[in-house]
Amino acid sequence: MSKEIQGFSAPIYVTKPVFPTIEEVTAKLEDIWRAEWLTNNGPQHAMLEKELTEYLKVPYLNLFNNGTIALMVACQSLRLMGDVITTPFTFAATPHVLSWNNIRPIFCDIDPVTMNIDAEKIESMITPQTTAILAVHVFGTPCDVEKIQKVADKYGLRVVYDAAHAFGVEIDGKGIGNFGDISMLSFHATKLYHTVEGGALVHKDANLKERIDLLKNFGIKNEEEVVMPGINGKMNEVQAAIGRIMLGYVEKEREKRIALGKIYDEELGGVPGITLMPKVEEHVRLNHQYYVIRIDEEKFGRSRDYVYDHFKEYNVFARKYFHPLCSEYTCYRQLSSAAPGQLPVAEKVGREVLSMPMYGKLEAEDVRKICGILKSFQA
Ligand code: T4K
């Protein structure tokens, strides 16, 4: 440990959920108690669905109990099968929902700057078995939605976006959920906006809205008819009520993170071997949920793993999102698209990436200190 810098007295995690006041929660719980309605399309659910549709600037939105189930239902709703081209640089949920739908994930390499699926490489991976592209707006940086749509249109493929990280992201003033056939949002506690656990599907299709509502409620149309093999993906009233409260927090939290991101930029910009969060064009509105750096061992003098391990001595718990790559999991590494050397950019990014602590309650001095600790590791 460096002699000059003292570690933090309490652990600094990669994130901390935003908590509403207990009074706000109590007031909303009283509403639920009065209504005597706990789940299955209650009034809080209906209000949140409407409020989020407006906030996210999307035509249609279906709420879910979590993002993973939402993404599973997205695949069902579009009747996907066969092979789906996706990214190896994502959370486990992304390829797992394909497997749970009996679909084979085909891993495509990523762009070295955005860390999203490399739209240029998708076409070469398409076969007669391919039915869709499942892309991820990783860390909230939008994918190349135009190029992806172009290749999908050329081959008649569906486009699904895992937009778990992209709440409130916009391109040219359009909500991110307007791109592709369908997008999934996660409202997990660790996200910029949350409903404790929760998620949504957003899309432009009134028929899809109806079909997804059936699929998330066991396929039950009415007391006499069950019209498809659905699942239980329903968001309950307590989650929806918290979600309604959290809508009042999201802009402030975003602003705080913008300010913290600027400090990371200032402190770490120009440090040899450190690559900052990818910059985007002005017409893109980011949500600043994550702050992710990359560490080039040769230029920085220390590896990402060295930094990750030694941070702990200072009570700093950064995270290696997303290492290992999904293509390196035991359940996927036998796939030919996952063979070593097939995904050179993802493999490099997976070795270098580090998610830094990022949450509104973090103080500016904390971020400066974290950066000071990081710089003290330079060899
Ligand atoms: N697709 C993508 C691209 C995703 O990133 C995710 C989820 C999904 C799909 C699936 O969506 P959901 O089904 O989850 O809605 C966390 C989140 O649990 C997960 O939602 C998220 N991605 C992923 C990137 O991060 P873990 O395993 O890293 O969580 P955990 O428990 O280690 O929490 C991270 C840190 O947050 C902890 O070190 C401490 C802090 N923390 C966490 C919780 C839950 C708190 O301070 N308080 C808390 O209550 O996955």
Side-chain angles (χ1 to χ4, degrees):
M1 201 189 283
S2 148
K3 286 190 191 83
E4 302 86 51
I5 309 176
Q6 286 290 308
F8 288 92
S9 55
I12 301 284
Y13 295 116
V14 69
T15 196
K16 236 186 208 167
V18 182
F19 278 83
T21 67
I22 199 75
E23 290 77 19
E24 284 171 293
V25 176
T26 307
K28 278 275 184 296
L29 287 178
E30 282 169 359
D31 290 345
I32 296 172
W33 261 237
R34 265 193 299 276
E36 295 186 328
W37 199 276
L38 286 173
T39 185
N40 294 6
N41 261 323
Q44 299 294 330
H45 183 284
M47 287 186 271
L48 181 63
E49 211 161 79
K50 187 168 174 294
E51 288 161 8
L52 277 174
T53 305
E54 278 163 25
Y55 182 87
L56 295 168
K57 302 184 185 167
V58 286
Y60 297 101
L61 179 144
N62 305 73
L63 289 172
F64 275 85
N65 49 5
N66 64 60
T68 305
I69 296 286
L71 198 53
M72 279 181 55
V73 169
C75 296
Q76 286 281 322
S77 72
L78 298 174
R79 300 178 176 86
L80 301 186
M81 55 178 84
D83 291 352
V84 168
I85 297 172
T86 191
T87 169
F89 188 67
T90 181
F91 191 59
T94 317
H96 287 353
V97 299
L98 297 175
S99 291
W100 275 64
N101 277 291
N102 280 322
I103 292 166
R104 182 167 62 155
I106 304 292
F107 295 112
C108 176
D109 209 356
I110 61 171
D111 180 277
V113 177
T114 64
M115 300 178 271
N116 287 325
I117 193 165
D118 186 340
E120 297 287 356
K121 295 200 175 122
I122 293 174
E123 188 164 6
S124 66
M125 313 205 66
I126 296 171
T127 70
Q129 282 72 48
T130 311
T131 58
I133 299 160
L134 170 53
V136 181
H137 303 298
V138 82
F139 309 130
T141 305
C143 292
D144 190 336
V145 291
E146 265 177 42
K147 256 187 215 148
I148 290 175
Q149 196 58 56
K150 218 168 166 190
V151 71
D153 289 344
K154 186 168 168 193
Y155 292 90
L157 304 178
R158 298 293 208 156
V159 179
V160 178
Y161 284 109
D162 176 335
H165 302 172
F167 183 89
V169 170
E170 294 176 9
I171 303 176
D172 284 325
K174 280 174 89 175
I176 195 77
N178 289 284
F179 300 94
D181 290 287
I182 197 160
S183 300
M184 175 278 276
L185 295 156
S186 166
F187 305 152
H188 184 263
T190 53
K191 300 291 192 282
L192 181 79
Y193 167 81
H194 74 84
T195 59
V196 181
E197 288 265 5
L201 291 179
V202 291
H203 51 87
K204 298 163 288 207
D205 184 339
N207 292 329
L208 212 45
K209 164 84 178 141
E210 211 174 298
R211 182 167 160 75
I212 291 168
D213 275 340
L214 285 167
L215 280 168
K216 75 174 203 190
N217 186 30
F218 315 100
I220 296 175
K221 190 171 178 193
N222 55 48
E223 286 180 40
E224 299 296 328
E225 289 173 283
V226 178
V227 293
M228 57 187 79
I231 199 164
N232 183 354
K234 291 170 279 121
M235 176 181 276
N236 68 49
E237 287 292 275
V238 178
Q239 286 174 293
I242 301 254
R244 296 189 61 221
I245 300 169
M246 297 314 296
L247 267 177
Y249 282 79
V250 67
E251 288 306 323
K252 229 187 204 128
E253 178 67 18
R254 178 175 175 271
E255 275 163 29
K256 287 182 188 163
R257 292 186 194 206
I258 290 174
L260 297 174
K262 281 191 184 139
I263 299 172
Y264 275 123
D265 284 348
E266 277 163 30
E267 293 284 331
L268 300 179
V271 175
I274 302 279
T275 305
L276 307 180
M277 263 311 263
K279 297 284 168 273
V280 295
E281 291 171 53
E282 268 182 18
H283 63 112
V284 175
R285 177 191 195 264
L286 296 175
N287 65 14
H288 302 270
Q289 176 171 301
Y290 293 97
Y291 196 94
V292 177
I293 60 167
R294 285 170 57 186
I295 301 168
D296 179 323
E297 180 175 5
E298 224 169 83
K299 294 188 188 136
F300 184 67
R302 301 286 188 195
S303 67
R304 183 276 316 274
D305 286 343
Y306 178 97
V307 172
Y308 168 83
D309 288 337
H310 285 76
F311 257 156
K312 290 182 185 172
E313 294 171 10
Y314 294 85
N315 236 346
V316 176
F317 297 88
R319 290 293 288 268
K320 302 182 204 176
Y321 295 138
F322 289 103
H323 164 88
L325 299 175
C326 297
S327 49
E328 291 165 344
Y329 299 174
T330 50
C331 50
Y332 298 122
R333 67 182 180 209
Q334 80 291 353
L335 294 170
S336 55
S337 65
Q342 288 286 72
L343 304 161
V345 181
E347 283 163 20
K348 182 168 162 39
V349 171
R351 281 193 302 273
E352 294 184 348
V353 75
L354 194 65
S355 279
M356 303 295 281
M358 180 55 125
Y359 49 90
K361 281 197 185 129
L362 210 55
E363 298 289 341
E365 304 86 78
D366 296 336
V367 174
R368 288 208 178 87
K369 182 162 159 171
I370 292 165
C371 294
I373 296 167
L374 174 60
K375 286 188 266 192
S376 77
F377 295 151
Q378 267 176 298

mmCIF file of all heavy atoms in Angstrom, residues 265-299:
data_model
loop_
_atom_site.group_PDB
_atom_site.id
_atom_site.type_symbol
_atom_site.label_atom_id
_atom_site.label_comp_id
_atom_site.label_asym_id
_atom_site.label_seq_id
_atom_site.Cartn_x
_atom_site.Cartn_y
_atom_site.Cartn_z
ATOM 1 N N ASP A 265 -12.790 11.952 -15.723
ATOM 2 C CA ASP A 265 -12.166 12.372 -16.993
ATOM 3 C C ASP A 265 -10.939 13.248 -16.726
ATOM 4 O O ASP A 265 -9.874 13.046 -17.306
ATOM 5 C CB ASP A 265 -13.153 13.199 -17.839
ATOM 6 C CG ASP A 265 -14.214 12.337 -18.515
ATOM 7 O OD1 ASP A 265 -14.057 11.109 -18.525
ATOM 8 O OD2 ASP A 265 -15.202 12.903 -19.012
ATOM 9 N N GLU A 266 -11.128 14.240 -15.840
ATOM 10 C CA GLU A 266 -10.035 15.187 -15.541
ATOM 11 C C GLU A 266 -8.839 14.473 -14.926
ATOM 12 O O GLU A 266 -7.698 14.699 -15.297
ATOM 13 C CB GLU A 266 -10.504 16.212 -14.493
ATOM 14 C CG GLU A 266 -11.277 17.385 -15.038
ATOM 15 C CD GLU A 266 -12.017 18.074 -13.895
ATOM 16 O OE1 GLU A 266 -11.539 18.064 -12.725
ATOM 17 O OE2 GLU A 266 -13.104 18.596 -14.188
ATOM 18 N N GLU A 267 -9.134 13.614 -13.947
ATOM 19 C CA GLU A 267 -8.058 12.974 -13.187
ATOM 20 C C GLU A 267 -7.313 11.904 -13.987
ATOM 21 O O GLU A 267 -6.127 11.709 -13.790
ATOM 22 C CB GLU A 267 -8.623 12.338 -11.911
ATOM 23 C CG GLU A 267 -9.146 13.342 -10.905
ATOM 24 C CD GLU A 267 -8.026 14.038 -10.139
ATOM 25 O OE1 GLU A 267 -6.951 13.424 -9.960
ATOM 26 O OE2 GLU A 267 -8.228 15.212 -9.746
ATOM 27 N N LEU A 268 -8.068 11.208 -14.850
ATOM 28 C CA LEU A 268 -7.455 10.054 -15.523
ATOM 29 C C LEU A 268 -7.120 10.314 -16.994
ATOM 30 O O LEU A 268 -6.383 9.538 -17.594
ATOM 31 C CB LEU A 268 -8.370 8.823 -15.403
ATOM 32 C CG LEU A 268 -8.675 8.372 -13.962
ATOM 33 C CD1 LEU A 268 -9.619 7.169 -13.968
ATOM 34 C CD2 LEU A 268 -7.391 8.015 -13.204
ATOM 35 N N GLY A 269 -7.694 11.396 -17.555
ATOM 36 C CA GLY A 269 -7.386 11.740 -18.941
ATOM 37 C C GLY A 269 -5.889 11.988 -19.076
ATOM 38 O O GLY A 269 -5.308 12.684 -18.251
ATOM 39 N N GLY A 270 -5.286 11.407 -20.064
ATOM 40 C CA GLY A 270 -3.848 11.640 -20.284
ATOM 41 C C GLY A 270 -2.945 10.710 -19.485
ATOM 42 O O GLY A 270 -1.729 10.733 -19.678
ATOM 43 N N VAL A 271 -3.506 9.913 -18.581
ATOM 44 C CA VAL A 271 -2.642 8.945 -17.873
ATOM 45 C C VAL A 271 -2.289 7.841 -18.872
ATOM 46 O O VAL A 271 -3.188 7.219 -19.449
ATOM 47 C CB VAL A 271 -3.353 8.340 -16.629
ATOM 48 C CG1 VAL A 271 -2.491 7.263 -15.981
ATOM 49 C CG2 VAL A 271 -3.715 9.434 -15.634
ATOM 50 N N PRO A 272 -0.986 7.593 -19.114
ATOM 51 C CA PRO A 272 -0.612 6.593 -20.125
ATOM 52 C C PRO A 272 -1.228 5.228 -19.817
ATOM 53 O O PRO A 272 -1.182 4.766 -18.677
ATOM 54 C CB PRO A 272 0.918 6.531 -20.027
ATOM 55 C CG PRO A 272 1.322 7.765 -19.304
ATOM 56 C CD PRO A 272 0.184 8.188 -18.446
ATOM 57 N N GLY A 273 -1.845 4.644 -20.839
ATOM 58 C CA GLY A 273 -2.399 3.298 -20.683
ATOM 59 C C GLY A 273 -3.821 3.251 -20.148
ATOM 60 O O GLY A 273 -4.405 2.180 -20.029
ATOM 61 N N ILE A 274 -4.404 4.422 -19.813
ATOM 62 C CA ILE A 274 -5.795 4.432 -19.339
ATOM 63 C C ILE A 274 -6.686 4.983 -20.451
ATOM 64 O O ILE A 274 -6.475 6.102 -20.926
ATOM 65 C CB ILE A 274 -5.976 5.326 -18.083
ATOM 66 C CG1 ILE A 274 -5.070 4.871 -16.939
ATOM 67 C CG2 ILE A 274 -7.460 5.374 -17.658
ATOM 68 C CD1 ILE A 274 -5.551 3.708 -16.133
ATOM 69 N N THR A 275 -7.684 4.189 -20.849
ATOM 70 C CA THR A 275 -8.690 4.661 -21.812
ATOM 71 C C THR A 275 -9.949 4.971 -21.029
ATOM 72 O O THR A 275 -10.408 4.164 -20.217
ATOM 73 C CB THR A 275 -8.987 3.571 -22.864
ATOM 74 O OG1 THR A 275 -7.754 3.194 -23.463
ATOM 75 C CG2 THR A 275 -9.944 4.069 -23.935
ATOM 76 N N LEU A 276 -10.523 6.155 -21.279
ATOM 77 C CA LEU A 276 -11.717 6.589 -20.551
ATOM 78 C C LEU A 276 -12.984 6.034 -21.204
ATOM 79 O O LEU A 276 -12.930 5.432 -22.275
ATOM 80 C CB LEU A 276 -11.780 8.117 -20.523
ATOM 81 C CG LEU A 276 -10.529 8.832 -19.995
ATOM 82 C CD1 LEU A 276 -10.746 10.344 -20.032
ATOM 83 C CD2 LEU A 276 -10.187 8.384 -18.587
ATOM 84 N N MET A 277 -14.124 6.307 -20.573
ATOM 85 C CA MET A 277 -15.430 5.956 -21.143
ATOM 86 C C MET A 277 -15.479 6.440 -22.584
ATOM 87 O O MET A 277 -15.051 7.564 -22.861
ATOM 88 C CB MET A 277 -16.525 6.723 -20.417
ATOM 89 C CG MET A 277 -17.270 6.039 -19.319
ATOM 90 S SD MET A 277 -17.924 4.416 -19.631
ATOM 91 C CE MET A 277 -19.604 4.749 -20.066
ATOM 92 N N PRO A 278 -16.053 5.643 -23.508
ATOM 93 C CA PRO A 278 -16.112 6.135 -24.887
ATOM 94 C C PRO A 278 -16.939 7.408 -24.994
ATOM 95 O O PRO A 278 -17.968 7.537 -24.336
ATOM 96 C CB PRO A 278 -16.788 4.990 -25.648
ATOM 97 C CG PRO A 278 -17.318 4.047 -24.638
ATOM 98 C CD PRO A 278 -16.615 4.303 -23.354
ATOM 99 N N LYS A 279 -16.452 8.340 -25.803
ATOM 100 C CA LYS A 279 -17.206 9.586 -26.040
ATOM 101 C C LYS A 279 -18.223 9.312 -27.145
ATOM 102 O O LYS A 279 -17.985 8.486 -28.015
ATOM 103 C CB LYS A 279 -16.256 10.704 -26.471
ATOM 104 C CG LYS A 279 -15.233 11.066 -25.394
ATOM 105 C CD LYS A 279 -15.840 11.895 -24.275
ATOM 106 C CE LYS A 279 -14.935 12.022 -23.056
ATOM 107 N NZ LYS A 279 -15.031 10.944 -22.060
ATOM 108 N N VAL A 280 -19.342 10.010 -27.092
ATOM 109 C CA VAL A 280 -20.368 9.819 -28.132
ATOM 110 C C VAL A 280 -20.626 11.158 -28.819
ATOM 111 O O VAL A 280 -20.247 12.214 -28.308
ATOM 112 C CB VAL A 280 -21.692 9.275 -27.543
ATOM 113 C CG1 VAL A 280 -21.502 7.889 -26.969
ATOM 114 C CG2 VAL A 280 -22.259 10.227 -26.506
ATOM 115 N N GLU A 281 -21.301 11.067 -29.975
ATOM 116 C CA GLU A 281 -21.607 12.299 -30.700
ATOM 117 C C GLU A 281 -22.666 13.096 -29.939
ATOM 118 O O GLU A 281 -23.393 12.542 -29.111
ATOM 119 C CB GLU A 281 -22.094 11.950 -32.101
ATOM 120 C CG GLU A 281 -20.977 11.366 -32.950
ATOM 121 C CD GLU A 281 -21.495 10.823 -34.270
ATOM 122 O OE1 GLU A 281 -22.172 11.582 -34.976
ATOM 123 O OE2 GLU A 281 -21.238 9.653 -34.571
ATOM 124 N N GLU A 282 -22.761 14.393 -30.288
ATOM 125 C CA GLU A 282 -23.612 15.297 -29.511
ATOM 126 C C GLU A 282 -25.095 14.957 -29.557
ATOM 127 O O GLU A 282 -25.839 15.314 -28.645
ATOM 128 C CB GLU A 282 -23.402 16.737 -29.979
ATOM 129 C CG GLU A 282 -22.326 17.400 -29.150
ATOM 130 C CD GLU A 282 -22.086 18.825 -29.519
ATOM 131 O OE1 GLU A 282 -22.956 19.426 -30.177
ATOM 132 O OE2 GLU A 282 -21.020 19.327 -29.145
ATOM 133 N N HIS A 283 -25.521 14.293 -30.622
ATOM 134 C CA HIS A 283 -26.948 13.978 -30.728
ATOM 135 C C HIS A 283 -27.371 12.793 -29.850
ATOM 136 O O HIS A 283 -28.534 12.401 -29.857
ATOM 137 C CB HIS A 283 -27.341 13.750 -32.199
ATOM 138 C CG HIS A 283 -26.647 12.573 -32.816
ATOM 139 N ND1 HIS A 283 -27.321 11.446 -33.178
ATOM 140 C CD2 HIS A 283 -25.351 12.344 -33.107
ATOM 141 C CE1 HIS A 283 -26.458 10.569 -33.677
ATOM 142 N NE2 HIS A 283 -25.265 11.099 -33.641
ATOM 143 N N VAL A 284 -26.418 12.244 -29.111
ATOM 144 C CA VAL A 284 -26.745 11.132 -28.202
ATOM 145 C C VAL A 284 -26.817 11.648 -26.769
ATOM 146 O O VAL A 284 -25.922 12.352 -26.303
ATOM 147 C CB VAL A 284 -25.675 10.010 -28.291
ATOM 148 C CG1 VAL A 284 -25.949 8.917 -27.274
ATOM 149 C CG2 VAL A 284 -25.630 9.422 -29.697
ATOM 150 N N ARG A 285 -27.922 11.301 -26.081
ATOM 151 C CA ARG A 285 -28.053 11.642 -24.657
ATOM 152 C C ARG A 285 -27.747 10.368 -23.873
ATOM 153 O O ARG A 285 -28.449 9.366 -24.009
ATOM 154 C CB ARG A 285 -29.482 12.084 -24.348
ATOM 155 C CG ARG A 285 -29.717 12.392 -22.890
ATOM 156 C CD ARG A 285 -31.208 12.562 -22.644
ATOM 157 N NE ARG A 285 -31.487 13.181 -21.371
ATOM 158 C CZ ARG A 285 -31.788 12.505 -20.258
ATOM 159 N NH1 ARG A 285 -31.825 11.191 -20.253
ATOM 160 N NH2 ARG A 285 -32.051 13.161 -19.143
ATOM 161 N N LEU A 286 -26.682 10.421 -23.088
ATOM 162 C CA LEU A 286 -26.296 9.248 -22.290
ATOM 163 C C LEU A 286 -26.969 9.302 -20.923
ATOM 164 O O LEU A 286 -27.487 10.344 -20.512
ATOM 165 C CB LEU A 286 -24.772 9.225 -22.111
ATOM 166 C CG LEU A 286 -23.951 9.050 -23.387
ATOM 167 C CD1 LEU A 286 -22.468 9.178 -23.074
ATOM 168 C CD2 LEU A 286 -24.235 7.694 -24.039
ATOM 169 N N ASN A 287 -26.909 8.191 -20.186
ATOM 170 C CA ASN A 287 -27.470 8.241 -18.825
ATOM 171 C C ASN A 287 -26.391 8.300 -17.738
ATOM 172 O O ASN A 287 -26.707 8.501 -16.572
ATOM 173 C CB ASN A 287 -28.450 7.083 -18.580
ATOM 174 C CG ASN A 287 -27.766 5.718 -18.626
ATOM 175 O OD1 ASN A 287 -26.546 5.613 -18.589
ATOM 176 N ND2 ASN A 287 -28.567 4.674 -18.697
ATOM 177 N N HIS A 288 -25.137 8.089 -18.109
ATOM 178 C CA HIS A 288 -24.005 8.202 -17.179
ATOM 179 C C HIS A 288 -24.120 7.257 -15.989
ATOM 180 O O HIS A 288 -23.645 7.563 -14.898
ATOM 181 C CB HIS A 288 -23.813 9.655 -16.728
ATOM 182 C CG HIS A 288 -23.594 10.580 -17.876
ATOM 183 N ND1 HIS A 288 -22.347 10.860 -18.374
ATOM 184 C CD2 HIS A 288 -24.475 11.230 -18.662
ATOM 185 C CE1 HIS A 288 -22.466 11.666 -19.415
ATOM 186 N NE2 HIS A 288 -23.749 11.906 -19.611
ATOM 187 N N GLN A 289 -24.748 6.117 -16.238
ATOM 188 C CA GLN A 289 -24.926 5.150 -15.147
ATOM 189 C C GLN A 289 -23.596 4.572 -14.678
ATOM 190 O O GLN A 289 -23.359 4.439 -13.488
ATOM 191 C CB GLN A 289 -25.836 4.032 -15.636
ATOM 192 C CG GLN A 289 -26.015 2.931 -14.628
ATOM 193 C CD GLN A 289 -27.094 1.968 -15.067
ATOM 194 O OE1 GLN A 289 -28.227 2.366 -15.260
ATOM 195 N NE2 GLN A 289 -26.745 0.718 -15.219
ATOM 196 N N TYR A 290 -22.756 4.200 -15.623
ATOM 197 C CA TYR A 290 -21.476 3.553 -15.295
ATOM 198 C C TYR A 290 -20.309 4.469 -15.649
ATOM 199 O O TYR A 290 -20.427 5.331 -16.520
ATOM 200 C CB TYR A 290 -21.302 2.272 -16.118
ATOM 201 C CG TYR A 290 -22.279 1.159 -15.782
ATOM 202 C CD1 TYR A 290 -23.433 0.962 -16.537
ATOM 203 C CD2 TYR A 290 -22.034 0.291 -14.730
ATOM 204 C CE1 TYR A 290 -24.318 -0.073 -16.242
ATOM 205 C CE2 TYR A 290 -22.910 -0.746 -14.427
ATOM 206 C CZ TYR A 290 -24.047 -0.918 -15.189
ATOM 207 O OH TYR A 290 -24.915 -1.940 -14.900
ATOM 208 N N TYR A 291 -19.174 4.245 -14.992
ATOM 209 C CA TYR A 291 -17.929 4.849 -15.470
ATOM 210 C C TYR A 291 -16.911 3.719 -15.594
ATOM 211 O O TYR A 291 -16.504 3.124 -14.588
ATOM 212 C CB TYR A 291 -17.401 5.957 -14.557
ATOM 213 C CG TYR A 291 -16.361 6.768 -15.301
ATOM 214 C CD1 TYR A 291 -16.711 7.929 -15.970
ATOM 215 C CD2 TYR A 291 -15.045 6.319 -15.404
ATOM 216 C CE1 TYR A 291 -15.775 8.643 -16.714
ATOM 217 C CE2 TYR A 291 -14.107 7.019 -16.143
ATOM 218 C CZ TYR A 291 -14.490 8.178 -16.798
ATOM 219 O OH TYR A 291 -13.567 8.884 -17.543
ATOM 220 N N VAL A 292 -16.551 3.439 -16.840
ATOM 221 C CA VAL A 292 -15.729 2.268 -17.120
ATOM 222 C C VAL A 292 -14.429 2.715 -17.773
ATOM 223 O O VAL A 292 -14.448 3.527 -18.697
ATOM 224 C CB VAL A 292 -16.501 1.327 -18.075
ATOM 225 C CG1 VAL A 292 -15.666 0.134 -18.453
ATOM 226 C CG2 VAL A 292 -17.797 0.877 -17.413
ATOM 227 N N ILE A 293 -13.316 2.195 -17.274
ATOM 228 C CA ILE A 293 -12.033 2.505 -17.913
ATOM 229 C C ILE A 293 -11.425 1.213 -18.463
ATOM 230 O O ILE A 293 -11.884 0.115 -18.137
ATOM 231 C CB ILE A 293 -11.034 3.161 -16.931
ATOM 232 C CG1 ILE A 293 -10.724 2.226 -15.741
ATOM 233 C CG2 ILE A 293 -11.541 4.506 -16.465
ATOM 234 C CD1 ILE A 293 -9.528 2.679 -14.910
ATOM 235 N N ARG A 294 -10.401 1.389 -19.278
ATOM 236 C CA ARG A 294 -9.616 0.240 -19.722
ATOM 237 C C ARG A 294 -8.158 0.502 -19.379
ATOM 238 O O ARG A 294 -7.691 1.630 -19.466
ATOM 239 C CB ARG A 294 -9.807 0.037 -21.225
ATOM 240 C CG ARG A 294 -11.168 -0.571 -21.505
ATOM 241 C CD ARG A 294 -11.470 -0.546 -22.965
ATOM 242 N NE ARG A 294 -10.444 -1.237 -23.724
ATOM 243 C CZ ARG A 294 -10.415 -1.250 -25.062
ATOM 244 N NH1 ARG A 294 -11.328 -0.604 -25.752
ATOM 245 N NH2 ARG A 294 -9.462 -1.903 -25.689
ATOM 246 N N ILE A 295 -7.488 -0.563 -18.966
ATOM 247 C CA ILE A 295 -6.097 -0.428 -18.529
ATOM 248 C C ILE A 295 -5.217 -1.294 -19.428
ATOM 249 O O ILE A 295 -5.340 -2.526 -19.441
ATOM 250 C CB ILE A 295 -5.945 -0.866 -17.049
ATOM 251 C CG1 ILE A 295 -6.848 0.014 -16.164
ATOM 252 C CG2 ILE A 295 -4.485 -0.801 -16.608
ATOM 253 C CD1 ILE A 295 -7.011 -0.484 -14.752
ATOM 254 N N ASP A 296 -4.359 -0.611 -20.172
ATOM 255 C CA ASP A 296 -3.404 -1.309 -21.045
ATOM 256 C C ASP A 296 -2.151 -1.577 -20.210
ATOM 257 O O ASP A 296 -1.426 -0.644 -19.836
ATOM 258 C CB ASP A 296 -3.097 -0.391 -22.245
ATOM 259 C CG ASP A 296 -2.100 -1.017 -23.203
ATOM 260 O OD1 ASP A 296 -1.163 -1.697 -22.737
ATOM 261 O OD2 ASP A 296 -2.253 -0.800 -24.406
ATOM 262 N N GLU A 297 -1.925 -2.835 -19.916
ATOM 263 C CA GLU A 297 -0.852 -3.211 -18.983
ATOM 264 C C GLU A 297 0.515 -2.700 -19.430
ATOM 265 O O GLU A 297 1.293 -2.185 -18.625
ATOM 266 C CB GLU A 297 -0.826 -4.741 -18.822
ATOM 267 C CG GLU A 297 0.259 -5.209 -17.875
ATOM 268 C CD GLU A 297 0.240 -6.702 -17.604
ATOM 269 O OE1 GLU A 297 -0.571 -7.413 -18.222
ATOM 270 O OE2 GLU A 297 1.043 -7.139 -16.767
ATOM 271 N N GLU A 298 0.755 -2.816 -20.739
ATOM 272 C CA GLU A 298 2.072 -2.420 -21.234
ATOM 273 C C GLU A 298 2.323 -0.933 -21.007
ATOM 274 O O GLU A 298 3.394 -0.533 -20.548
ATOM 275 C CB GLU A 298 2.144 -2.715 -22.727
ATOM 276 C CG GLU A 298 3.437 -3.362 -23.134
ATOM 277 C CD GLU A 298 3.322 -3.862 -24.561
ATOM 278 O OE1 GLU A 298 3.530 -3.025 -25.460
ATOM 279 O OE2 GLU A 298 2.984 -5.048 -24.744
ATOM 280 N N LYS A 299 1.313 -0.113 -21.292
ATOM 281 C CA LYS A 299 1.520 1.340 -21.202
ATOM 282 C C LYS A 299 1.362 1.860 -19.771
ATOM 283 O O LYS A 299 2.007 2.828 -19.384
ATOM 284 C CB LYS A 299 0.528 2.064 -22.121
ATOM 285 C CG LYS A 299 0.785 1.777 -23.580
ATOM 286 C CD LYS A 299 -0.085 2.641 -24.465
ATOM 287 C CE LYS A 299 0.035 2.208 -25.913
ATOM 288 N NZ LYS A 299 -1.228 2.141 -26.601
#
